[in-house]
Amino acid sequence: MGYKRKKSESELEPEIENDRKKPMMRKEEKEKEILPSTIKNKEKRSEVHAKLKHQKKLEKRKKAKARDAAEKRALELGEEPPPKMVPRTIENTREFDETVCKPDDEELFAGNDADEFGAILKRERTPKVLITTCRFNSSRGPAFISELLSVIPNAHYYKRGTYDLKKIVEYANNKDFTSLIVVHTNRREPDALLIIGLPEGPTAHFKLSKLVLRKDIKNHGNPTNHKPELVLNNFTTRLGHRIGRLIQSLFPQDPNFRGRRVVTFHNQRDFIFFRHHRYIFDSKESKQTDSKGKEAKDAKGEKASQERVITRLQECGPRFTLKLTSLQHGTFDSKGGEFEWVHKPEMDTSRRRFFL
C-alpha cells in the first residue's frame, strides 16, 4: 500500500494564507464585475455607483498628473511636449465629403461673384425682407413673427389672406423686396420656414423645431433697433456655403457694433441653431494688493481699488432650430421646380454623414 507523507507546519502555512486571500480576491473581483443597473436594492445600487464614479475620478486625476509631469519634464529637457489627447466626437470623425470647401478653391470664389446674392453681399442692394404666414395661421405664429421683425432689420409683415404664393412672389418683386420668408404653422405651432431669394431664387425649405419665444427665456434682454452683427458657424460644404450666403442676404452687411447685438446661426450635425444675444459690459471694482499680499493704499491713506470691465452675453430671443429639407432653383414652384438638393430618408446611411 502507498504511504502519503504528512505535510509539515512550515509547508502548510503558505497554503493557509492563499486560502485566506482567495475569498478577499473573489469579493473584490465581484465588486468590479457587478454593474449598478443589475442591483435591485436602491441604496446598494447608489453605493456601488458612487464607488465606481470615485474610482474613475481618481484614475482620471492620476492620468492628468502623469501628463502634466511629462510635459514639465519635456520643457525642462528642451524637448517637445507629448501631443494633447483629442477626444473622439461625431463631428471630427465625420465621413469624408468631396464637397467640403477649401480656402484655395478658385471655382468657389468665382461662383460667389456670379450667384444670386452677390449684389446684396457687395452692398450694391440693401436687404428688404417680406414676412408672411401660411393660409391657416396660429396663436403663436404672430408672436414669433413680431420677434423675427425685431431680429431682421428692414423686415415688413404682410397678412397672407387668400393670396397664392406665386402672386405674393410677384408682388414682392414689384415692390423691390430682396427676400421672402413664409412661416408655416401646424396645430397652432410654427413648424417650418420657407426662405425665397428674390428675384431669381433660390428657395430653401427648413423644418422648424424647439421654438422658445422671448417671454419664455429667463432673464432675457430687449433688443435695440441697431443693425446686428451676424455670426455663421460651421457651414463647411458647398451646400452649406450656399445656405450660409442665403441667410447672410437677409441681413445688412454694415453692422452697428455700438448696438452690441449679435445674431448667430450655428450649424452642428446639419441642425442650424439660432440665437440672438446682446453684449453687456459691467464695471467691477477690485482691491489692489502689494507684493506682500496686503491691501494697497493711495497717497491719502485710503484703500486703492481698480475698475475692471466684465463682458457677458444676455439672450434676447427667440430661440429655435432649423433643419434643411430642400433647396430649389429659382422662386417657389411646387409642380415644375428644379431642385438642387432634397433630403431623403435613404440618404441617412450613417450618423457620421453630414451635408452642411
Side-chain angles (χ1 to χ4, degrees), residues 79-136:
E79 297 173 357
E80 281 189 18
K84 286 187 178 180
M85 301 289 283
V86 179
R88 279 173 62 86
T89 60
I90 289 175
E91 283 83 5
N92 63 21
T93 55
R94 68 182 287 176
E95 284 186 6
F96 174 74
D97 191 348
E98 292 176 352
T99 63
V100 171
C101 303
K102 293 173 185 175
D104 56 344
D105 194 340
E106 292 176 7
E107 189 185 335
L108 180 72
F109 293 118
N112 286 349
D113 296 333
D115 71 0
E116 304 94 327
F117 320 113
I120 297 166
L121 302 185
K122 287 175 187 173
R123 302 186 192 179
E124 291 169 9
R125 284 185 77 188
T126 306
K128 189 181 175 186
V129 183
L130 188 150
I131 300 176
T132 189
T133 59
C134 61
R135 281 180 179 165
F136 304 101

Side-chain angles (χ1 to χ4, degrees), residues 15 89 148 154 170 173 220 229 238 281 284 289 339:
E15 286 183 14
T89 60
L148 273 183
N154 204 16
E170 193 180 325
N173 276 327
H220 66 83
E229 181 185 348
R238 288 284 182 99
F281 301 103
K284 191 179 179 182
T289 54
F339 286 89

Side-chain angles (χ1 to χ4, degrees), residues 186-204:
N186 185 25
R187 294 180 183 178
R188 297 186 178 181
E189 187 70 26
D191 70 333
L193 272 188
L194 192 71
I195 303 176
I196 304 170
L198 299 174
E200 296 168 2
T203 302

Side-chain angles (χ1 to χ4, degrees), residues 213-278:
L213 297 174
R214 187 179 299 137
K215 64 183 176 68
D216 301 321
I217 295 169
K218 195 179 177 182
N219 299 327
H220 66 83
N222 294 314
T224 58
N225 294 326
H226 294 86
K227 292 174 186 176
E229 181 185 348
L230 182 66
V231 178
L232 295 169
N233 193 20
N234 211 21
F235 292 88
T236 52
T237 63
R238 288 284 182 99
L239 177 66
H241 183 75
R242 191 149 168 75
I243 293 298
R245 283 176 71 82
L246 174 66
I247 293 166
Q248 201 177 347
S249 68
L250 299 173
F251 294 87
Q253 304 306 301
D254 52 341
N256 292 334
F257 294 106
R258 283 181 176 276
R260 310 193 307 272
R261 279 180 66 199
V262 188
V263 170
T264 308
F265 288 87
H266 173 76
N267 172 44
Q268 190 170 353
R269 303 180 193 178
D270 287 351
F271 288 95
I272 302 167
F273 298 94
F274 173 87
R275 295 293 182 271
H276 181 206
H277 293 92
R278 64 191 283 261

Side-chain angles (χ1 to χ4, degrees), residues 51-63:
K51 271 186 183 179
L52 287 169
K53 200 175 179 183
H54 182 65
Q55 263 182 344
K56 282 180 182 177
K57 198 177 181 180
L58 288 174
E59 283 171 18
K60 196 176 179 181
R61 201 179 290 168
K62 201 176 178 182
K63 283 178 184 177

